[in-house]
Amino acid sequence: MAEGQSEVIDGAADVVARLKSRVIEHCLPLWSGEGWDAAAGGFVDRLAADGRADRQAPRRVMVQARQIYCFAKAAQMGWSTEGRAIALKGLEYLLAKAKAPDGRPGFVFSLTPEGTVQDGRRDTYAHAFVLLALASAYELDRDTQIRAEIDALLAFMDAELRSPHGGFLEGLPPSLPRRQNPHMHLFESMIAAFDATHDLALQQRAGDFYALFLANLYDKQTRLLGEYFEDDWSRIAPVIVEPGHLAEWVWLLRGFERITGCPTGQRRSELLQSALRYRDGATGCLLDLGDADGTIRRDTRRLWPQVELAKAFIAQVEGGEADAAKEARAALVRLERHYLSHPVAGGWYDQFDSSGASLVATIPASSFYHVLCAVTEADLVLS
């Protein structure tokens, strides 16, 4: 075993408790304080390396939605007495500023720091996270107005974004290539929306994405997930592999199995084994990009694939794989030691090169969604 991999075993027994404390004591206060623009409203997109908000950066709607999810989830877990209020404050800003501000339906892609339209595209990936935010907020109070927003968003996507070839367009205006990534997050959001509403129509929508996964996204021969496609779902060669997405689908398939009873164990095991082909030998971390033959195309390593690897092993624990608990804790220790050891309490490093040097100077808000989700899952399953 490589030195970096043997090292992570130390501290694994109580890593979940440490990460839970970190989220409660440092992450939530940082991102609700410095991470919220008290003057103009909205969550900031990133912090500088010293922890100060970059208030001049555009506000991506995807980030607004992810932060709403984080604070709603923290409230649901009992981790934040202010989480509900912060989530609803964020949702109020999102609906007021990003929903149809130019008179056209749907949510814009990004806002200026002042809250005007920066980029008016209707991006499907961003809409997936708006749905996740709405589902998380709805679960707090079962508010009928939020449920109406869920239905309106789904109606917009059905009317404007559906592709005649299955799934959804990249956005408006349409563009190529088509990607699996927006569909993966729509799958996630449909599962969350079903959990929040218990509406069988949303369970069926989740099933549509599972069917798309089996028919078009997943290659049963290579046991790999395609990333880029032509309009008719033909794979674009050469096939690019993002190991983090392989791991992410493991967790999502377990969620689908939970809400439907549909067995997904075989595909989960295949995806996880494929993801592990792309690990860094020194640290045990997932690398960013590979080829279908297992060759590494980019030996950098971002934060989010490590979080998704931990979630994948947690999903396997839920599915009855006893040995997966040890691997899940080891992945969480790697996350803690390599990425969360930032001098700003509640911050993180986003990406390293092969020598371990940090490649991103800022602290991106978008990563909080990954971190918080992994720690809540770990607390529920591993504690």
Side-chain angles (χ1 to χ4, degrees):
M1 183 178 292
E3 180 181 351
Q5 290 174 297
S6 61
E7 168 187 69
V8 301
I9 301 303
D10 296 333
D14 56 353
V15 65
V16 177
R18 291 198 306 274
L19 291 179
K20 179 179 176 179
S21 294
R22 180 188 295 266
V23 167
I24 293 172
E25 296 171 14
H26 300 299
C27 297
L28 289 167
L30 176 67
W31 293 102
S32 63
E34 191 66 19
W36 174 264
D37 189 335
F43 295 102
V44 301
D45 222 71
R46 63 195 181 208
L47 307 179
D50 61 3
R52 290 182 297 178
D54 180 352
R55 303 199 185 280
Q56 299 309 307
R59 311 282 167 86
R60 288 176 293 170
V61 163
M62 174 268 288
V63 170
Q64 301 300 313
R66 286 187 178 193
Q67 298 296 72
I68 292 164
Y69 160 83
C70 286
F71 286 97
K73 188 71 173 180
Q76 292 162 18
M77 296 290 291
W79 291 4
S80 172
T81 57
E82 300 177 341
R84 174 186 173 277
I86 295 165
L88 294 179
K89 179 173 64 172
L91 183 59
E92 181 181 11
Y93 173 87
L94 179 68
L95 293 172
K97 301 294 186 180
K99 182 187 176 186
D102 50 9
R104 295 183 290 119
F107 289 77
V108 299
F109 179 77
S110 63
L111 301 166
T112 67
E114 295 75 31
T116 60
V117 177
Q118 172 88 19
D119 185 335
R121 284 177 298 154
R122 270 49 174 179
D123 179 63
T124 299
Y125 181 90
H127 280 76
F129 283 102
V130 173
L131 178 57
L132 182 66
L134 290 168
S136 303
Y138 179 75
E139 198 161 5
L140 292 172
D141 300 317
R142 302 295 193 272
D143 185 288
T144 56
Q145 288 183 305
I146 296 177
R147 178 57 203 266
E149 293 289 350
I150 291 174
D151 293 338
L153 176 60
L154 294 173
F156 161 73
M157 295 192 66
D158 286 343
E160 304 292 339
L161 292 173
R162 276 203 179 272
S163 167
H165 299 289
F168 291 84
L169 305 172
E170 283 292 302
L172 295 177
S175 63
L176 291 174
R178 300 184 72 183
R179 297 176 299 152
Q180 74 79 26
N181 202 8
H183 296 84
M184 177 181 72
H185 287 295
L186 283 168
F187 187 40
E188 173 187 19
S189 298
M190 295 301 173
I191 294 170
F194 173 76
D195 280 335
T197 64
H198 305 294
D199 183 342
L200 292 177
L202 289 161
Q203 184 190 64
Q204 179 59 54
R205 285 179 178 269
D208 292 342
F209 288 103
Y210 180 58
L212 182 71
F213 165 80
L214 292 177
N216 299 109
L217 305 181
Y218 184 62
D219 186 327
K220 300 177 183 66
Q221 279 67 50
T222 63
R223 300 182 175 183
L224 293 172
L225 184 71
E227 290 289 340
Y228 301 104
F229 300 85
E230 302 289 1
D231 197 33
D232 63 357
W233 289 114
S234 303
R235 285 185 176 82
I236 295 176
V239 172
I240 302 300
V241 178
E242 292 200 35
H245 285 157
L246 299 176
E248 200 161 358
W249 271 95
V250 175
W251 179 71
L252 289 170
L253 290 177
R254 174 59 193 166
F256 182 69
E257 182 173 324
R258 173 178 52 77
I259 69 168
T260 63
C262 176
T264 62
Q266 178 183 346
R267 301 305 178 208
R268 285 188 282 114
S269 294
E270 291 170 358
L271 284 162
L272 183 52
Q273 288 306 308
S274 293
L276 295 175
R277 295 165 61 192
Y278 304 91
R279 290 177 101 168
D280 173 39
T283 63
C285 293
L286 285 185
L287 296 168
D288 285 342
L289 211 63
D291 280 337
D293 63 3
T295 302
I296 303 303
R297 288 177 62 99
R298 190 180 301 156
D299 62 1
T300 53
R301 44 188 175 88
R302 292 194 65 189
L303 178 154
W304 70 262
Q306 321 319 320
V307 174
E308 297 307 328
L309 183 60
K311 286 166 57 182
F313 281 120
I314 291 168
Q316 295 300 78
V317 174
E318 282 192 303
E321 300 282 344
D323 291 342
K326 179 180 177 181
E327 294 288 352
R329 290 190 177 91
L332 292 171
V333 171
R334 285 192 293 272
L335 172 70
E336 178 185 48
R337 293 189 178 177
H338 293 285
Y339 295 87
L340 302 184
S341 58
H342 198 279
V344 174
W348 37 73
Y349 296 103
D350 185 67
Q351 189 180 40
F352 296 105
D353 67 13
S354 58
S355 70
S358 175
L359 294 174
V360 179
T362 61
I363 307 171
S366 57
S367 294
F368 192 23
Y369 145 83
H370 291 285
V371 172
L372 183 126
C373 185
V375 178
T376 56
E377 289 292 292
D379 189 52
L380 291 169
V381 177
L382 301 178
S383 294

